[in-house]
Amino acid sequence: MTKEGFKSGFVAIIGRPNVGKSTLLNRIVGEKIAIMSNKAQTTRNKIQGIYTTDDAQVVFIDTPGVHKPQNSLGDYMVKSAFSALHEADAIWFVVDASKKRGAGDNFIINRLKEVKNTPIFLLVNKVDLLKKEDLFEVIKTYQEDAPEWTEIFPISATEGDNVPELLETVIKDLDEGPQYFDSDQLTDHPERFVISELIREKVLQLTQQEVPHSVAVVIDKIATEAGGIVHIQASIIVERPTQKNIVIGKQGKMIKQIGTRARKDIERLLGSRVFLETWVKVEERWRDRPQALQSLGYRKDDF
């Protein structure tokens, strides 16, 4: 039953890798539900973050960064990002104010031109890295050969600058609708997914070279034991034995560091003490094998 005057809707967040989409989503919902790192292509799935007030509920769809695909996983990520445009009541196109408009931005802009009857907001992020006198020129470059933006918002997802005003504006333009999720629910993804992403985040943050892009995480078991301790068993999947050696590290130091950091975030997420066990397994060329992608939770229809 819809509460009179209650507004609701879906907002798709799209942009190139590393423009701050996940940082913005986490800022809005007030918790880490989308992982962050300085590595490109950190987000691989559409992640829905839920923002609820007494008068409105907005479901934000954080999408993978749009990039030129190099394998089946990359194809999946780009298709996943663009599919969100057709699910949304509004679209936020996020760009990095500290970098020049490039071919990736133009690729997205051309797709946005095809969208009809949906408000499209241009969010110029990372303005805290920019001199104020340079902001106007950055905005001007995104007004040329582009859709007619519904609104243009200079923001800092990291510092929170202009984010409350952005939220207020998008809610004001939503139609009346139902409350899709409970008031205290922050994401539509199950705990298993969020836990696996928190572990993958630590691998991304601590490893270099080709390892971050070759990693997936599978939760094998979650069980609550005596004393309320949550026992989690997880497998870290890589593509080559050399990558396995890197993730394990000399005398197991790297895998221990990954586990220690991940456990702290998981304990904050669950509000319980956690015993985390991790193994590293080799699945050769898993990013290029649809069957492997399917077994790791990527939908068959998307690749």
Side-chain angles (χ1 to χ4, degrees), residues 7 10 23 28 75 91 111-112 139 182 226 228 240 243 253 259 262 276 281 295 298:
K7 292 186 172 187
F10 293 78
T23 304
I28 289 169
D75 287 333
I91 298 167
R111 292 294 293 267
L112 291 175
I139 292 174
D182 292 340
R240 294 196 290 276
Q243 296 168 346
K253 287 183 179 179
L276 175 63
K281 300 178 181 179
S295 71
Y298 299 100

Side-chain angles (χ1 to χ4, degrees), residues 144-165:
E144 300 166 358
D145 190 25
E148 186 174 339
W149 308 115
T150 304
E151 296 273 359
I152 298 175
F153 272 88
I155 65 166
S156 170
T158 302
E159 302 297 328
D161 298 347
N162 228 10
V163 174
E165 292 81 1

Side-chain angles (χ1 to χ4, degrees), residues 19-283:
V19 295
K21 301 183 298 298
S22 296
T23 304
L24 177 59
L25 180 64
N26 291 339
R27 161 73 60 179
I28 289 169
V29 302
E31 292 284 349
K32 181 189 284 187
I33 61 166
I35 68 172
M36 300 177 292
S37 84
N38 60 0
K39 309 292 194 304
Q41 304 164 38
T42 297
T43 301
R44 289 178 177 165
N45 302 76
K46 288 184 294 186
I47 297 173
Q48 292 191 167
I50 304 160
Y51 175 80
T52 308
T53 68
D54 291 339
D55 303 310
Q57 183 173 82
V58 188
V59 182
F60 293 95
I61 309 167
D62 181 25
T63 62
V66 176
H67 62 285
K68 186 176 181 180
Q70 303 293 330
N71 46 49
S72 295
L73 176 61
D75 287 333
Y76 166 86
M77 291 164 64
V78 173
K79 287 179 183 177
S80 178
F82 283 127
S83 71
L85 301 182
H86 305 291
E87 304 169 9
D89 299 296
I91 298 167
W92 287 358
F93 173 43
V94 186
V95 301
D96 185 341
S98 67
K99 295 180 179 176
K100 291 183 179 179
R101 174 174 168 175
D105 296 303
N106 294 334
F107 179 59
I108 298 170
I109 284 170
N110 286 332
R111 292 294 293 267
L112 291 175
K113 289 178 183 178
E114 300 171 4
V115 176
K116 306 299 181 185
N117 303 317
T118 303
I120 305 175
F121 292 68
L122 173 66
L123 308 189
V124 184
N125 190 27
K126 305 187 184 182
V127 294
D128 51 306
L129 305 178
L130 204 68
K131 293 179 181 177
K132 287 186 178 180
E133 55 268 28
D134 295 332
L135 179 58
F136 176 76
E137 288 302 319
V138 172
I139 292 174
K140 188 177 177 182
T141 64
Y142 284 97
Q143 291 177 306
E144 300 166 358
D145 190 25
E148 186 174 339
W149 308 115
T150 304
E151 296 273 359
I152 298 175
F153 272 88
I155 65 166
S156 170
T158 302
E159 302 297 328
D161 298 347
N162 228 10
V163 174
E165 292 81 1
L166 173 62
L167 274 171
E168 185 179 327
T169 300
V170 80
I171 290 172
K172 176 172 63 70
D173 292 338
L174 289 177
D175 294 330
E176 287 191 21
Q179 182 172 322
Y180 296 99
F181 300 95
D182 292 340
S183 300
D184 58 353
Q185 190 170 343
L186 300 180
T187 180
D188 68 324
H189 280 289
E191 284 181 348
R192 277 178 176 265
F193 173 84
V194 180
I195 290 168
S196 70
E197 286 287 88
L198 290 174
I199 297 170
R200 187 168 69 89
E201 178 186 57
K202 307 314 171 194
V203 179
L204 297 183
Q205 290 174 347
L206 292 169
T207 61
Q208 301 295 328
Q209 299 169 340
E210 83 284 0
V211 174
H213 301 304
S214 304
V215 167
V217 176
V218 176
I219 303 302
D220 301 308
K221 176 185 175 183
I222 299 179
T224 302
E225 300 180 343
I229 297 175
V230 179
H231 185 182
I232 299 172
Q233 295 176 334
S235 296
I236 298 172
I237 312 297
V238 295
E239 290 186 313
R240 294 196 290 276
T242 53
Q243 296 168 346
K244 178 178 179 178
N245 294 338
I246 292 170
V247 174
I248 292 174
K250 190 175 181 180
Q251 297 179 333
K253 287 183 179 179
M254 178 61 77
I255 192 68
K256 183 178 180 181
Q257 194 174 2
I258 290 167
T260 299
R261 290 192 183 190
R263 179 179 51 77
K264 290 178 180 178
D265 273 359
I266 296 167
E267 286 181 337
R268 280 193 288 269
L269 172 72
L270 301 180
S272 305
R273 289 179 60 198
V274 167
F275 175 58
L276 175 63
E277 289 184 285
T278 54
W279 290 268
V280 186
K281 300 178 181 179
V282 177
E283 287 274 354

